[in-house]
Amino acid sequence: MTEERLPSREMVEGPSRAPARAMFHAAGFDEEALAKPLVAIIHNFSTVTPCNMHLRDLAQQAAKGIEEAGGTPIEFNTIVVTDGESMGTSGMRASLMSREVIADSAELAVRGHSLDAVLFIVGCDKTIPAAAMAAVRLNRPSVILYGGSIMPGRLGDKALTIQDVFEAVGAHSAGAISDDELKAVETHACPGAGACGGQFTANTMALAMTFLGLSPVGLNDIPAVHPDKPGAAREAGRLTVDALRAGRFPRDLVNASSLRNAAVAGTATAGSTNLILHLLAIAREAGISESDFNIDLFDEVSRATPVIADLKPGGRFMAPDMFAGGGTALLGRRLMEAGLIVDAPTVTGQSLFDAFADAPETPGQQVIVTADRPIKQRGGFGICYGNIAPEGCVVKLAGHGKLRFEGPAKVFDGEESAFEALGKGGIVAGDVVVIRGEGPVGGPGMREMLGVTAAIQGRGLGNDVALITDGRFSGATYGFMVGHISPEAARGGPIARIRDGDRIVIDVERRVVETDADLAARSLPAWQPSAENRGAYAKYAALVGSASKGAVTLPD
């Protein structure tokens, strides 16, 4: 991609392009600006959520960096659906769908205007994998910058995250805390801009972007309100133009090896199970075959990778603490020294190992430990199969040491009925809660179950109840949880045939989720699409694939 052969030359050069140039001039671009590489800044600024409310400010700093490096910035905005606000509502169905819409809109904006390179500035959960999906789909030089974590909230001497608010709801419903105590947690948990502070989905995926080579090492670590964040955006702008001039393309960075590196990093931090869904989606977008990267790799990685970062939801610390202790570079150095990752190129031109080699460690930090003295010997994921999940499912192991659970099924069609039963004491110790009809098609949209899982913790049942679902979990979820059960109920999966009282066994060591009930002998309940299946919802339900393959809407 030389200066003479940039995609933008089709748009702005030659006599026939005078009408296009006239429009550009009206938008403030003079001839000098149009002669330079045209670089998209695509962000998800919105005033609806703290995760994204500062992204336009960062975009303005990034534009300065692009100009300093000799490019012309062109800004686009796309959507965000914030999980923390939509969780537990019908609006949560739009969350995973938004990943596809963001990737599609970025692709259309860049292709539609023949732009040369892209800087993505992202915040809330789905915006991050969507940026990576668009980057590998477009395969134009791209940098991804995460807007950064929120700082901890404070109530007395306790540090808070949004996780604590969800758990307080469960404690309140159990009568353990008062209305005033719940209100105090609510009003102190989120102090300002930034995405949720634990190793939930946003921070897990921001880490993954670095290990994929799409984000410069260290820039994603900087919290949203840190004084160094504007400078990080400016640097990201300069690096985007540098990647263009050097010919560094996303598909040269994202391959089976770098995807495995990202899986290892997420596992070593006991990150969100959404990492599995999103890395599979990125792999499919990058054209990587299922034989080279598939769901079973996560079980293999989890068995071989110890947890070496003590982060919420299962641990003690938050993303700003990890940043202060040494950040992604220190984590990478630990994984490199343990032989758990391989070297790989990055968007900056520096290799991962070169970036990690001299990573400093803050004296006395307790967030990141060494692989020979881990927090947990086994990573936080398990991939299981069985007569309930013939195409596989994902077990989340964060926050407990159990690898086996057996109990009677307590079956619910949809999240709301399970939440209502929990509030009335209808779920008790020993139960295996089954929530079905919440898969990619059945929801549609594969809602997260944080409302239910946090309420289980808040009611003191976290170690005594298991939950299985064809939906998925928030990164803030912990406990004995099994999600992504495939095939889902709406596609005739066996989970649709489970009845109350069926004995269910979850055995992570044997990689089994099964029942001794004769599911095949039972008729399949009729599935009726939701009344909400119109417009984007109907399109998504018609196109989306299995969660075991990333729940993408690509033609198969």
Side-chain angles (χ1 to χ4, degrees), residues 52-180:
N52 292 52
M53 69 185 192
H54 60 305
L55 297 191
R56 193 162 191 208
D57 294 335
L58 294 181
Q60 291 169 348
Q61 294 299 317
K64 294 177 182 177
I66 290 169
E67 289 170 345
E68 289 166 358
T72 295
I74 298 179
E75 184 179 349
F76 292 92
N77 179 238
T78 185
I79 68 164
V80 60
V81 174
T82 175
D83 294 7
E85 292 170 2
S86 64
M87 194 75 69
T89 74
S90 60
M92 185 67 205
R93 293 188 176 95
S95 172
L96 187 59
M97 295 186 210
S98 75
R99 185 190 71 179
E100 313 304 304
V101 172
I102 295 163
D104 289 350
S105 63
E107 177 193 6
L108 295 175
V110 172
R111 290 195 196 280
H113 300 93
S114 302
L115 303 180
D116 301 316
V118 192
L119 171 59
F120 297 91
I121 305 180
V122 292
C124 193
D125 298 5
K126 307 309 169 293
T127 69
I128 308 171
M133 291 162 68
V136 295
R137 191 188 295 179
L138 288 162
N139 203 31
R140 297 187 189 180
S142 300
V143 171
I144 297 175
L145 175 69
Y146 174 47
S149 171
I150 197 171
M151 296 301 291
R154 289 281 170 187
L155 185 59
D157 61 354
K158 183 179 180 181
L160 299 177
T161 72
I162 193 68
Q163 170 191 342
D164 296 285
V165 188
F166 279 99
E167 291 179 14
V169 171
H172 178 266
S173 73
I177 64 173
S178 68
D179 291 350
D180 288 344

Side-chain angles (χ1 to χ4, degrees), residues 175-252:
I177 64 173
S178 68
D179 291 350
D180 288 344
E181 288 172 314
L182 175 60
K183 189 69 174 179
V185 176
E186 171 192 332
T187 54
H188 288 81
C190 300
C196 299
Q199 194 66 347
F200 311 151
T201 303
N203 285 314
T204 300
M205 292 311 302
L207 179 73
M209 294 304 105
T210 300
F211 280 80
L212 285 175
L214 294 172
S215 293
V217 174
L219 296 194
N220 287 354
D221 296 2
I222 303 169
V225 298
H226 194 281
D228 290 346
K229 199 69 183 188
R234 202 159 178 160
E235 176 65 7
R238 288 192 290 266
L239 288 170
T240 305
V241 179
D242 181 63
L244 173 65
R245 294 221 161 98
R248 300 185 193 110
F249 295 91
R251 290 200 181 198
D252 295 333

Side-chain angles (χ1 to χ4, degrees), residues 424-445:
K424 295 178 178 178
I427 293 171
V428 299
D431 283 344
V432 178
V433 179
V434 179
I435 303 177
R436 64 192 180 193
E438 294 285 8
V441 174

